[in-house]
């Protein structure tokens, strides 16, 4: 199976459908994902906690793999996630990057980056222009 298809299945089954069983099917048991939460690598158990928390905040999620590059056991992807904010009904767009190593058809290692600041601004959990405020030295609060 092509790595792009594995990634598409991962986002569809786990992040769109909330199929937590897919985590064990698609991850090697010792897979660690770095980058989603600072200073913390996430394994299958942590994903089973994170995904329902995230999906409780949103409705109608869709994920698009905008660019994918494959090289041997590795693939990288730029992706977009479109959701509806469950509390306001407003559309929200989040973007991220993924760099993953595969062992056969399973994800064995990942490095992630997701623009949580912009996402949390759009759902109203951070003030608008939070990054710009921080860059000027102002505290968010």
């Amino acid at each position: 199976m092509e790595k792009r298809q594995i990634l598409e299945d991962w986002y569809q089954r786990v992040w769109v459908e909330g199929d937590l069983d897919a985590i064990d099917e698609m991850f090697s048991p010792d897979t660690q994902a770095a980058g989603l939460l600072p200073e913390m690598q996430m394994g299958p158990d942590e994903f089973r906690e994170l995904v329902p928390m995230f999906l409780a905040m949103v409705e109608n999620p869709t994920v698009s793999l905008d660019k994918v590059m494959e090289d041997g056991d590795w693939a990288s992807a730029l992706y977009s996630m479109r959701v509806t904010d469950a509390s306001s009904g407003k559309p929200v767009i989040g973007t991220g990057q993924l760099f993953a190593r595969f062992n056969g058809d399973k994800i064995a290692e990942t490095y992630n980056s997701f623009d949580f600041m912009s996402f949390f601004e759009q759902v109203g959990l951070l003030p608008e222009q939070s990054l710009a405020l921080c860059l000027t030295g102002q505290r968010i609060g």
Side-chain angles (χ1 to χ4, degrees):
M1 181 181 293
E2 288 187 24
K3 290 164 188 62
R4 178 187 188 98
Q5 186 61 53
I6 296 168
L7 292 175
E8 286 177 352
D9 291 349
W10 166 258
Y11 285 108
Q12 179 63 35
R13 291 185 62 197
V14 176
W15 291 100
V16 172
E17 298 169 7
D19 179 359
L20 301 182
D21 292 332
I23 295 168
D24 290 328
E25 292 173 29
M26 302 183 80
F27 264 21
S28 296
D30 58 346
T31 296
Q32 293 292 304
L36 282 174
L37 298 174
E39 307 295 322
M40 179 181 168
Q41 289 195 350
M42 297 182 59
D45 291 338
E46 289 80 17
F47 272 98
R48 279 190 285 280
E49 293 177 20
L50 177 66
V51 170
M53 287 190 293
F54 180 81
L55 291 177
M57 295 175 25
V58 303
E59 298 172 344
N60 308 315
T62 62
V63 178
S64 169
L65 296 183
D66 303 320
K67 303 279 185 207
V68 177
M69 290 181 21
E70 296 184 28
D71 184 19
D73 292 339
W74 291 89
S76 61
L78 297 173
Y79 63 92
S80 303
M81 178 176 275
R82 288 170 172 72
V83 300
T84 301
D85 177 4
S87 63
S88 71
K90 291 177 18 182
V92 176
I93 298 173
T95 58
Q97 302 174 48
L98 169 74
F99 192 59
R101 183 175 61 82
F102 294 79
N103 184 359
D105 287 346
K106 291 197 178 222
I107 300 168
E109 177 181 4
T110 70
Y111 300 90
N112 304 270
S113 177
F114 186 78
D115 186 358
F116 282 111
M117 185 168 277
S118 174
F119 179 84
F120 287 134
E121 283 177 7
Q122 292 176 71
V123 297
L125 295 175
L126 285 173
E128 289 184 22
Q129 302 298 322
S130 288
L131 180 59
L133 291 170
C134 291
L135 289 171
T136 64
Q138 296 183 47
R139 293 193 185 277
I140 298 174

